[in-house]
Amino acid sequence: MPRLHFKGRALVENHHLTVPFHELRAVPEPGLSTTPSLHDNLVVHGDNLAALKALQPTLYRQVRCIYIDPPYNTGNENWVYNDNVNSPMMREWLGKTVDRDDLTRHDKWCCMMLPRLKLLRELLRDDGAIFVSIDDNEVHHLRALMDEVFGEDNFVATVIWQKIFSPKNTARHFSQDHDFILVYARDAERWTPNKLRRSEAAKSRYKNPDADPRGPWASSDLTARNYYSKGTYEVTSPSGKTFKPSIGNYFRVSPENFAELEKDGRIWWGAKGRSMPRLKRFLSEVQEGVVPQTLWPWRDVGHTQAAKKELVALADFERSEDVFDTVKPTTLIRRILEIATDEDSIVLDSFAGSGTTAHAVLAQNKQDGSRRRFVLIECEDYADSLTAERVRRAARGVPSSGDEGLREGLGGAFSYFELGGPMREESLLDAGNLPTYEALAGYIFFTATGEELRPAEMDRSRSLIGSTHSTDVFLVYEPDVERLKLLALDLAFAKALPPANGRKRVVFAPTKYLDECFLNRYEVEFCQLPFEIYRVVADS
Ligand SMILES: C[S@@+](CC[C@H](N)C(=O)[O-])C[C@H]1O[C@@H](n2cnc3c(N)ncnc32)[C@H](O)[C@@H]1O
């Protein structure tokens, strides 16, 4: 498969692996949940590269649907490439706004996206899918990056979203009426889109001009261009007129089958009984849902102006120019939720902006009484004042609103987290940078075993943080520099361990006061903090 080449590629290829884990610190005030938890609906404030890594212990292979709406790289967005990649060329790039004059803007964009797409894939379930909004500025690069990360066999569709309802006559060449949404499955063999509910408009196309007792029906063509050896016969209408498929077309059913359909009153010869026969398809018999199509007109999923209107009703913008510009309509995201989620799916949006995805999830949950969860990440300072604020208002309701749904509120709550410092080996045990016991335990257990920490199974009195089918993992640690100087894997600790009975016992501690001989006798494997926080414990 051809691969996209861009400046900086070699430096970011494995960047997703080297991004250190960061602590996620719960901040109760902006959230709506009484007990903040990483298993709640989430709004995370921080860069999504670090945040996606930090969410791995709880979200690894858990997410059913990812929707992202990254900067389109139009040259007018003022986004900044700020990833901490250690090279002189990248340092040169840092902190500078990526604008139209920047000759490397496409390279920077690809450098920004590649590691993020790789981390996003890690979070998707086998039956999950990712939807990415984009326009002509980067769609060709994005398609190549997605083919590389998700595999070209897992490409599902390029959706065309008709985003405006009246063409821009001031456009220099063409009025740009649509955005793209690229859809990839984690595994196209295992991903099946939900059928969409038949809209009222579609249902209204079923009529009953002949008062058929089976109810309303619509007719479909009985001929097709595909060659069918039995499909070239002639039929006679009740009025005596004969019909044959036109040249190059064939009846789709055999003559015997046609006769049966006719007998069952399923052939429509037109109101006067002298038109080319068509097949009657009864509304009561067609499958309830319809397969998703790739053209999404604004009439079905909303347009950009409607999106702004929705946002303005839920935020405090003083001037029109301040209104968040790239907001999407909730109806668009709800279409994605309808296609790609079920009642308790986790939905992730790591370029959250004004929080449309959370708003859409709450609205969809209210409509069908379900329990989808959202996880939003936003790096800008408005993560609280705009992103979380919209979710707070959508959930609680806006009493002054003229819209009844909005007045009442959609219900639901969420926890708010700030991205903490990196858990780097060299600085992990520095005063002022000590992660909580639970945070460190979560990362250690995940990196060591590949499994999520189950807090209910932690036993602090024995320093046990969790067990797999073959291994018990212990953490001797306290987030206090003075106490840490005294903590060690010592004889008393080893002696207090229950008999190993063939299980592996791995102890993470700042130091040990036991030599190899004792470690072997007590069947303990020692991992020194901070240097071995990313130690992988091979399962036996
Ligand atoms: C196009 S907007 C998303 C709009 C959103 N779909 C909505 O309906 O409001 C992109 C958002 O991604 C955010 N963003 C860009 N780079 C990011 C990063 N590295 N980490 C987290 N958020 C980022 C931007 O601050 C911006 O709010």
mmCIF file of all heavy atoms in Angstrom, residues 1-6 9 72-74 105-107 109-110 113 117 132-148 155 158 180-182 184:
data_model
loop_
_atom_site.group_PDB
_atom_site.id
_atom_site.type_symbol
_atom_site.label_atom_id
_atom_site.label_comp_id
_atom_site.label_asym_id
_atom_site.label_seq_id
_atom_site.Cartn_x
_atom_site.Cartn_y
_atom_site.Cartn_z
ATOM 1 N N MET A 1 0.844 -1.202 0.000
ATOM 2 C CA MET A 1 0.000 0.000 0.000
ATOM 3 C C MET A 1 0.884 1.259 0.000
ATOM 4 O O MET A 1 1.815 1.338 0.794
ATOM 5 C CB MET A 1 -0.863 -0.015 1.276
ATOM 6 C CG MET A 1 -1.915 1.047 1.298
ATOM 7 S SD MET A 1 -2.844 1.036 2.846
ATOM 8 C CE MET A 1 -1.679 1.794 3.967
ATOM 9 N N PRO A 2 0.618 2.216 -0.887
ATOM 10 C CA PRO A 2 1.426 3.439 -0.866
ATOM 11 C C PRO A 2 1.265 4.168 0.468
ATOM 12 O O PRO A 2 0.178 4.128 1.055
ATOM 13 C CB PRO A 2 0.833 4.283 -2.005
ATOM 14 C CG PRO A 2 -0.236 3.488 -2.625
ATOM 15 C CD PRO A 2 -0.483 2.260 -1.831
ATOM 16 N N ARG A 3 2.374 4.783 0.920
ATOM 17 C CA ARG A 3 2.269 5.516 2.196
ATOM 18 C C ARG A 3 2.533 6.986 1.953
ATOM 19 O O ARG A 3 3.347 7.360 1.116
ATOM 20 C CB ARG A 3 3.304 4.978 3.179
ATOM 21 C CG ARG A 3 2.762 3.784 3.900
ATOM 22 C CD ARG A 3 3.505 3.419 5.131
ATOM 23 N NE ARG A 3 4.790 4.021 5.343
ATOM 24 C CZ ARG A 3 5.407 3.971 6.502
ATOM 25 N NH1 ARG A 3 4.831 3.398 7.529
ATOM 26 N NH2 ARG A 3 6.589 4.497 6.654
ATOM 27 N N LEU A 4 1.841 7.794 2.731
ATOM 28 C CA LEU A 4 1.990 9.231 2.581
ATOM 29 C C LEU A 4 3.320 9.666 3.203
ATOM 30 O O LEU A 4 3.638 9.275 4.331
ATOM 31 C CB LEU A 4 0.823 9.894 3.317
ATOM 32 C CG LEU A 4 0.669 11.387 3.186
ATOM 33 C CD1 LEU A 4 0.301 11.739 1.739
ATOM 34 C CD2 LEU A 4 -0.440 11.867 4.120
ATOM 35 N N HIS A 5 4.084 10.465 2.451
ATOM 36 C CA HIS A 5 5.325 10.989 3.025
ATOM 37 C C HIS A 5 5.145 12.449 3.380
ATOM 38 O O HIS A 5 4.571 13.202 2.604
ATOM 39 C CB HIS A 5 6.488 10.816 2.056
ATOM 40 C CG HIS A 5 7.002 9.428 2.111
ATOM 41 N ND1 HIS A 5 7.887 9.011 3.063
ATOM 42 C CD2 HIS A 5 6.674 8.344 1.393
ATOM 43 C CE1 HIS A 5 8.104 7.719 2.916
ATOM 44 N NE2 HIS A 5 7.375 7.289 1.912
ATOM 45 N N PHE A 6 5.608 12.834 4.546
ATOM 46 C CA PHE A 6 5.528 14.238 4.920
ATOM 47 C C PHE A 6 6.688 14.550 5.855
ATOM 48 O O PHE A 6 7.256 13.646 6.493
ATOM 49 C CB PHE A 6 4.172 14.567 5.577
ATOM 50 C CG PHE A 6 3.754 13.636 6.689
ATOM 51 C CD1 PHE A 6 4.110 13.888 8.001
ATOM 52 C CD2 PHE A 6 3.010 12.494 6.417
ATOM 53 C CE1 PHE A 6 3.726 13.030 9.021
ATOM 54 C CE2 PHE A 6 2.622 11.631 7.434
ATOM 55 C CZ PHE A 6 2.976 11.897 8.740
ATOM 56 N N ARG A 9 7.673 12.937 9.478
ATOM 57 C CA ARG A 9 7.030 11.640 9.623
ATOM 58 C C ARG A 9 7.841 10.676 10.505
ATOM 59 O O ARG A 9 7.307 10.049 11.426
ATOM 60 C CB ARG A 9 6.821 11.017 8.244
ATOM 61 C CG ARG A 9 6.291 9.669 8.367
ATOM 62 C CD ARG A 9 5.898 8.976 7.103
ATOM 63 N NE ARG A 9 5.329 7.772 7.641
ATOM 64 C CZ ARG A 9 4.093 7.381 7.491
ATOM 65 N NH1 ARG A 9 3.290 8.025 6.728
ATOM 66 N NH2 ARG A 9 3.659 6.310 8.088
ATOM 67 N N TYR A 72 -9.593 21.780 10.341
ATOM 68 C CA TYR A 72 -9.572 21.394 8.921
ATOM 69 C C TYR A 72 -8.298 21.875 8.224
ATOM 70 O O TYR A 72 -8.058 21.560 7.082
ATOM 71 C CB TYR A 72 -10.792 21.986 8.201
ATOM 72 C CG TYR A 72 -12.115 21.297 8.493
ATOM 73 C CD1 TYR A 72 -12.227 20.283 9.433
ATOM 74 C CD2 TYR A 72 -13.257 21.664 7.791
ATOM 75 C CE1 TYR A 72 -13.449 19.664 9.676
ATOM 76 C CE2 TYR A 72 -14.479 21.043 8.022
ATOM 77 C CZ TYR A 72 -14.574 20.046 8.971
ATOM 78 O OH TYR A 72 -15.780 19.439 9.190
ATOM 79 N N ASN A 73 -7.524 22.701 8.913
ATOM 80 C CA ASN A 73 -6.293 23.252 8.342
ATOM 81 C C ASN A 73 -6.583 24.175 7.156
ATOM 82 O O ASN A 73 -5.953 24.073 6.100
ATOM 83 C CB ASN A 73 -5.344 22.120 7.924
ATOM 84 C CG ASN A 73 -3.896 22.507 8.137
ATOM 85 O OD1 ASN A 73 -3.607 23.513 8.780
ATOM 86 N ND2 ASN A 73 -2.980 21.728 7.596
ATOM 87 N N THR A 74 -7.535 25.046 7.370
ATOM 88 C CA THR A 74 -7.934 25.964 6.302
ATOM 89 C C THR A 74 -6.946 27.114 6.148
ATOM 90 O O THR A 74 -6.985 27.844 5.170
ATOM 91 C CB THR A 74 -9.297 26.593 6.639
ATOM 92 O OG1 THR A 74 -9.172 27.243 7.924
ATOM 93 C CG2 THR A 74 -10.397 25.567 6.705
ATOM 94 N N ARG A 105 2.367 23.616 6.378
ATOM 95 C CA ARG A 105 1.156 23.427 7.189
ATOM 96 C C ARG A 105 0.557 22.037 7.022
ATOM 97 O O ARG A 105 0.030 21.471 7.964
ATOM 98 C CB ARG A 105 0.142 24.536 6.965
ATOM 99 C CG ARG A 105 -0.693 24.452 5.731
ATOM 100 C CD ARG A 105 -1.546 25.711 5.609
ATOM 101 N NE ARG A 105 -2.019 25.879 4.273
ATOM 102 C CZ ARG A 105 -3.270 25.640 3.881
ATOM 103 N NH1 ARG A 105 -4.153 25.219 4.741
ATOM 104 N NH2 ARG A 105 -3.620 25.816 2.638
ATOM 105 N N HIS A 106 0.661 21.453 5.826
ATOM 106 C CA HIS A 106 0.106 20.106 5.645
ATOM 107 C C HIS A 106 0.967 19.077 6.371
ATOM 108 O O HIS A 106 0.450 18.116 6.937
ATOM 109 C CB HIS A 106 -0.010 19.768 4.163
ATOM 110 C CG HIS A 106 -0.975 20.674 3.455
ATOM 111 N ND1 HIS A 106 -2.318 20.646 3.709
ATOM 112 C CD2 HIS A 106 -0.779 21.646 2.537
ATOM 113 C CE1 HIS A 106 -2.928 21.566 2.967
ATOM 114 N NE2 HIS A 106 -2.002 22.195 2.261
ATOM 115 N N ASP A 107 2.296 19.300 6.375
ATOM 116 C CA ASP A 107 3.180 18.382 7.097
ATOM 117 C C ASP A 107 2.868 18.421 8.593
ATOM 118 O O ASP A 107 2.760 17.392 9.255
ATOM 119 C CB ASP A 107 4.647 18.768 6.887
ATOM 120 C CG ASP A 107 5.005 18.838 5.423
ATOM 121 O OD1 ASP A 107 4.708 19.881 4.789
ATOM 122 O OD2 ASP A 107 5.529 17.860 4.895
ATOM 123 N N TRP A 109 0.133 19.266 10.018
ATOM 124 C CA TRP A 109 -1.185 18.680 10.291
ATOM 125 C C TRP A 109 -1.072 17.143 10.332
ATOM 126 O O TRP A 109 -1.626 16.501 11.212
ATOM 127 C CB TRP A 109 -2.176 19.139 9.211
ATOM 128 C CG TRP A 109 -3.601 18.822 9.535
ATOM 129 C CD1 TRP A 109 -4.461 19.587 10.258
ATOM 130 C CD2 TRP A 109 -4.339 17.653 9.154
ATOM 131 N NE1 TRP A 109 -5.691 18.972 10.351
ATOM 132 C CE2 TRP A 109 -5.644 17.784 9.680
ATOM 133 C CE3 TRP A 109 -4.028 16.512 8.425
ATOM 134 C CZ2 TRP A 109 -6.633 16.820 9.493
ATOM 135 C CZ3 TRP A 109 -5.017 15.553 8.244
ATOM 136 C CH2 TRP A 109 -6.294 15.710 8.777
ATOM 137 N N CYS A 110 -0.341 16.593 9.375
ATOM 138 C CA CYS A 110 -0.176 15.136 9.356
ATOM 139 C C CYS A 110 0.592 14.674 10.603
ATOM 140 O O CYS A 110 0.259 13.640 11.189
ATOM 141 C CB CYS A 110 0.565 14.685 8.096
ATOM 142 S SG CYS A 110 -0.418 14.918 6.613
ATOM 143 N N MET A 113 -1.885 14.636 13.401
ATOM 144 C CA MET A 113 -2.954 13.637 13.337
ATOM 145 C C MET A 113 -2.467 12.192 13.515
ATOM 146 O O MET A 113 -3.150 11.387 14.155
ATOM 147 C CB MET A 113 -3.698 13.732 11.992
ATOM 148 C CG MET A 113 -4.594 14.933 11.851
ATOM 149 S SD MET A 113 -5.870 15.064 13.129
ATOM 150 C CE MET A 113 -6.999 13.767 12.667
ATOM 151 N N LEU A 117 -4.464 9.444 15.748
ATOM 152 C CA LEU A 117 -5.278 8.370 15.147
ATOM 153 C C LEU A 117 -4.838 7.018 15.692
ATOM 154 O O LEU A 117 -5.655 6.136 15.962
ATOM 155 C CB LEU A 117 -5.143 8.397 13.620
ATOM 156 C CG LEU A 117 -5.791 9.607 12.927
ATOM 157 C CD1 LEU A 117 -5.471 9.602 11.428
ATOM 158 C CD2 LEU A 117 -7.306 9.612 13.131
ATOM 159 N N VAL A 132 -14.827 10.830 11.027
ATOM 160 C CA VAL A 132 -13.984 12.036 11.090
ATOM 161 C C VAL A 132 -14.494 13.099 10.120
ATOM 162 O O VAL A 132 -14.538 12.875 8.904
ATOM 163 C CB VAL A 132 -12.506 11.707 10.747
ATOM 164 C CG1 VAL A 132 -11.627 12.923 11.018
ATOM 165 C CG2 VAL A 132 -12.013 10.514 11.531
ATOM 166 N N SER A 133 -14.872 14.249 10.662
ATOM 167 C CA SER A 133 -15.288 15.371 9.810
ATOM 168 C C SER A 133 -14.060 16.035 9.197
ATOM 169 O O SER A 133 -13.036 16.222 9.882
ATOM 170 C CB SER A 133 -16.010 16.431 10.650
ATOM 171 O OG SER A 133 -17.350 16.091 10.821
ATOM 172 N N ILE A 134 -14.174 16.423 7.950
ATOM 173 C CA ILE A 134 -13.031 17.062 7.276
ATOM 174 C C ILE A 134 -13.541 17.753 6.007
ATOM 175 O O ILE A 134 -14.663 17.487 5.584
ATOM 176 C CB ILE A 134 -11.933 16.004 6.956
ATOM 177 C CG1 ILE A 134 -10.572 16.655 6.784
ATOM 178 C CG2 ILE A 134 -12.312 15.136 5.763
ATOM 179 C CD1 ILE A 134 -9.965 17.142 8.069
ATOM 180 N N ASP A 135 -12.718 18.638 5.413
ATOM 181 C CA ASP A 135 -13.112 19.181 4.105
ATOM 182 C C ASP A 135 -11.960 19.027 3.123
ATOM 183 O O ASP A 135 -10.984 18.314 3.391
ATOM 184 C CB ASP A 135 -13.642 20.616 4.239
ATOM 185 C CG ASP A 135 -12.541 21.639 4.455
ATOM 186 O OD1 ASP A 135 -11.346 21.243 4.497
ATOM 187 O OD2 ASP A 135 -12.855 22.828 4.590
ATOM 188 N N ASP A 136 -12.056 19.718 1.995
ATOM 189 C CA ASP A 136 -11.095 19.484 0.920
ATOM 190 C C ASP A 136 -9.654 19.846 1.275
ATOM 191 O O ASP A 136 -8.730 19.398 0.616
ATOM 192 C CB ASP A 136 -11.508 20.275 -0.327
ATOM 193 C CG ASP A 136 -12.615 19.572 -1.065
ATOM 194 O OD1 ASP A 136 -12.441 18.377 -1.369
ATOM 195 O OD2 ASP A 136 -13.656 20.193 -1.325
ATOM 196 N N ASN A 137 -9.450 20.658 2.312
ATOM 197 C CA ASN A 137 -8.081 21.045 2.653
ATOM 198 C C ASN A 137 -7.211 19.845 3.011
ATOM 199 O O ASN A 137 -6.028 19.818 2.703
ATOM 200 C CB ASN A 137 -8.086 22.019 3.832
ATOM 201 C CG ASN A 137 -8.506 23.403 3.400
ATOM 202 O OD1 ASN A 137 -7.735 24.101 2.761
ATOM 203 N ND2 ASN A 137 -9.738 23.779 3.710
ATOM 204 N N GLU A 138 -7.797 18.867 3.722
ATOM 205 C CA GLU A 138 -6.978 17.741 4.170
ATOM 206 C C GLU A 138 -7.588 16.378 3.880
ATOM 207 O O GLU A 138 -7.037 15.369 4.310
ATOM 208 C CB GLU A 138 -6.716 17.837 5.685
ATOM 209 C CG GLU A 138 -5.864 19.013 6.136
ATOM 210 C CD GLU A 138 -4.418 18.952 5.658
ATOM 211 O OE1 GLU A 138 -4.006 17.958 5.040
ATOM 212 O OE2 GLU A 138 -3.693 19.946 5.888
ATOM 213 N N VAL A 139 -8.724 16.308 3.168
ATOM 214 C CA VAL A 139 -9.384 15.001 3.059
ATOM 215 C C VAL A 139 -8.476 13.952 2.410
ATOM 216 O O VAL A 139 -8.486 12.776 2.808
ATOM 217 C CB VAL A 139 -10.746 15.107 2.314
ATOM 218 C CG1 VAL A 139 -10.586 15.509 0.871
ATOM 219 C CG2 VAL A 139 -11.514 13.804 2.416
ATOM 220 N N HIS A 140 -7.690 14.363 1.434
ATOM 221 C CA HIS A 140 -6.831 13.395 0.729
ATOM 222 C C HIS A 140 -5.727 12.878 1.639
ATOM 223 O O HIS A 140 -5.392 11.695 1.619
ATOM 224 C CB HIS A 140 -6.264 14.016 -0.547
ATOM 225 C CG HIS A 140 -5.678 15.390 -0.347
ATOM 226 N ND1 HIS A 140 -6.322 16.397 0.342
ATOM 227 C CD2 HIS A 140 -4.490 15.908 -0.728
ATOM 228 C CE1 HIS A 140 -5.573 17.485 0.348
ATOM 229 N NE2 HIS A 140 -4.451 17.210 -0.282
ATOM 230 N N HIS A 141 -5.174 13.783 2.487
ATOM 231 C CA HIS A 141 -4.138 13.325 3.418
ATOM 232 C C HIS A 141 -4.764 12.446 4.499
ATOM 233 O O HIS A 141 -4.209 11.416 4.891
ATOM 234 C CB HIS A 141 -3.438 14.523 4.077
ATOM 235 C CG HIS A 141 -2.689 15.369 3.097
ATOM 236 N ND1 HIS A 141 -2.701 16.742 3.125
ATOM 237 C CD2 HIS A 141 -1.924 15.027 2.046
ATOM 238 C CE1 HIS A 141 -1.957 17.206 2.140
ATOM 239 N NE2 HIS A 141 -1.486 16.170 1.472
ATOM 240 N N LEU A 142 -5.924 12.872 4.976
ATOM 241 C CA LEU A 142 -6.585 12.113 6.040
ATOM 242 C C LEU A 142 -6.902 10.688 5.573
ATOM 243 O O LEU A 142 -6.688 9.722 6.294
ATOM 244 C CB LEU A 142 -7.873 12.816 6.484
ATOM 245 C CG LEU A 142 -8.634 12.091 7.598
ATOM 246 C CD1 LEU A 142 -7.814 12.044 8.881
ATOM 247 C CD2 LEU A 142 -9.972 12.766 7.886
ATOM 248 N N ARG A 143 -7.397 10.587 4.347
ATOM 249 C CA ARG A 143 -7.752 9.261 3.824
ATOM 250 C C ARG A 143 -6.516 8.344 3.834
ATOM 251 O O ARG A 143 -6.585 7.180 4.225
ATOM 252 C CB ARG A 143 -8.317 9.444 2.415
ATOM 253 C CG ARG A 143 -8.692 8.189 1.702
ATOM 254 C CD ARG A 143 -10.040 7.661 2.165
ATOM 255 N NE ARG A 143 -10.207 6.295 1.699
ATOM 256 C CZ ARG A 143 -10.895 5.938 0.628
ATOM 257 N NH1 ARG A 143 -11.557 6.837 -0.038
ATOM 258 N NH2 ARG A 143 -10.963 4.683 0.251
ATOM 259 N N ALA A 144 -5.350 8.918 3.419
ATOM 260 C CA ALA A 144 -4.132 8.100 3.383
ATOM 261 C C ALA A 144 -3.708 7.713 4.801
ATOM 262 O O ALA A 144 -3.314 6.570 5.059
ATOM 263 C CB ALA A 144 -3.018 8.880 2.679
ATOM 264 N N LEU A 145 -3.811 8.655 5.737
ATOM 265 C CA LEU A 145 -3.418 8.344 7.127
ATOM 266 C C LEU A 145 -4.354 7.298 7.729
ATOM 267 O O LEU A 145 -3.916 6.380 8.435
ATOM 268 C CB LEU A 145 -3.456 9.616 7.995
ATOM 269 C CG LEU A 145 -2.441 10.714 7.668
ATOM 270 C CD1 LEU A 145 -2.623 11.897 8.619
ATOM 271 C CD2 LEU A 145 -1.020 10.194 7.761
ATOM 272 N N MET A 146 -5.643 7.434 7.446
ATOM 273 C CA MET A 146 -6.620 6.486 8.001
ATOM 274 C C MET A 146 -6.405 5.094 7.394
ATOM 275 O O MET A 146 -6.501 4.086 8.096
ATOM 276 C CB MET A 146 -8.049 6.949 7.723
ATOM 277 C CG MET A 146 -8.409 8.300 8.271
ATOM 278 S SD MET A 146 -8.888 8.309 9.994
ATOM 279 C CE MET A 146 -10.478 7.553 9.956
ATOM 280 N N ASP A 147 -6.126 5.048 6.088
ATOM 281 C CA ASP A 147 -5.846 3.750 5.456
ATOM 282 C C ASP A 147 -4.681 3.088 6.167
ATOM 283 O O ASP A 147 -4.677 1.882 6.408
ATOM 284 C CB ASP A 147 -5.456 3.941 3.981
ATOM 285 C CG ASP A 147 -6.677 3.982 3.081
ATOM 286 O OD1 ASP A 147 -7.785 3.702 3.569
ATOM 287 O OD2 ASP A 147 -6.510 4.302 1.888
ATOM 288 N N GLU A 148 -3.685 3.908 6.497
ATOM 289 C CA GLU A 148 -2.492 3.357 7.132
ATOM 290 C C GLU A 148 -2.797 2.867 8.555
ATOM 291 O O GLU A 148 -2.386 1.789 8.947
ATOM 292 C CB GLU A 148 -1.425 4.458 7.156
ATOM 293 C CG GLU A 148 -0.144 4.029 7.811
ATOM 294 C CD GLU A 148 0.869 5.159 7.821
ATOM 295 O OE1 GLU A 148 0.824 6.041 6.934
ATOM 296 O OE2 GLU A 148 1.711 5.160 8.734
ATOM 297 N N PHE A 155 -11.994 0.621 5.561
ATOM 298 C CA PHE A 155 -12.681 1.830 5.079
ATOM 299 C C PHE A 155 -14.144 1.469 4.842
ATOM 300 O O PHE A 155 -14.444 0.453 4.221
ATOM 301 C CB PHE A 155 -12.039 2.320 3.779
ATOM 302 C CG PHE A 155 -12.846 3.370 3.082
ATOM 303 C CD1 PHE A 155 -12.884 4.670 3.565
ATOM 304 C CD2 PHE A 155 -13.599 3.063 1.957
ATOM 305 C CE1 PHE A 155 -13.643 5.643 2.936
ATOM 306 C CE2 PHE A 155 -14.361 4.023 1.318
ATOM 307 C CZ PHE A 155 -14.388 5.320 1.811
ATOM 308 N N THR A 158 -17.202 7.403 2.553
ATOM 309 C CA THR A 158 -17.013 8.851 2.672
ATOM 310 C C THR A 158 -18.405 9.462 2.583
ATOM 311 O O THR A 158 -19.045 9.397 1.537
ATOM 312 C CB THR A 158 -16.139 9.401 1.531
ATOM 313 O OG1 THR A 158 -14.874 8.761 1.586
ATOM 314 C CG2 THR A 158 -15.943 10.902 1.670
ATOM 315 N N PHE A 180 -16.928 16.466 4.336
ATOM 316 C CA PHE A 180 -16.871 15.006 4.276
ATOM 317 C C PHE A 180 -16.882 14.446 5.695
ATOM 318 O O PHE A 180 -16.433 15.114 6.636
ATOM 319 C CB PHE A 180 -15.570 14.532 3.617
ATOM 320 C CG PHE A 180 -15.373 15.060 2.231
ATOM 321 C CD1 PHE A 180 -14.493 16.105 1.981
ATOM 322 C CD2 PHE A 180 -16.056 14.507 1.166
ATOM 323 C CE1 PHE A 180 -14.301 16.590 0.700
ATOM 324 C CE2 PHE A 180 -15.869 14.987 -0.128
ATOM 325 C CZ PHE A 180 -14.991 16.030 -0.353
ATOM 326 N N ILE A 181 -17.361 13.229 5.825
ATOM 327 C CA ILE A 181 -17.139 12.481 7.068
ATOM 328 C C ILE A 181 -16.576 11.127 6.656
ATOM 329 O O ILE A 181 -17.256 10.332 5.990
ATOM 330 C CB ILE A 181 -18.446 12.294 7.875
ATOM 331 C CG1 ILE A 181 -19.065 13.660 8.209
ATOM 332 C CG2 ILE A 181 -18.168 11.512 9.157
ATOM 333 C CD1 ILE A 181 -20.403 13.575 8.935
ATOM 334 N N LEU A 182 -15.294 10.891 6.990
ATOM 335 C CA LEU A 182 -14.691 9.593 6.652
ATOM 336 C C LEU A 182 -15.078 8.585 7.726
ATOM 337 O O LEU A 182 -14.971 8.873 8.915
ATOM 338 C CB LEU A 182 -13.167 9.693 6.588
ATOM 339 C CG LEU A 182 -12.543 10.581 5.520
ATOM 340 C CD1 LEU A 182 -11.047 10.255 5.377
ATOM 341 C CD2 LEU A 182 -13.223 10.402 4.182
ATOM 342 N N TYR A 184 -14.431 4.736 9.159
ATOM 343 C CA TYR A 184 -13.645 3.491 9.172
ATOM 344 C C TYR A 184 -14.110 2.644 10.344
ATOM 345 O O TYR A 184 -14.407 3.173 11.421
ATOM 346 C CB TYR A 184 -12.143 3.782 9.369
ATOM 347 C CG TYR A 184 -11.433 4.207 8.114
ATOM 348 C CD1 TYR A 184 -11.646 5.472 7.566
ATOM 349 C CD2 TYR A 184 -10.540 3.346 7.471
ATOM 350 C CE1 TYR A 184 -10.996 5.865 6.402
ATOM 351 C CE2 TYR A 184 -9.889 3.731 6.305
ATOM 352 C CZ TYR A 184 -10.117 4.991 5.774
ATOM 353 O OH TYR A 184 -9.475 5.377 4.625
#
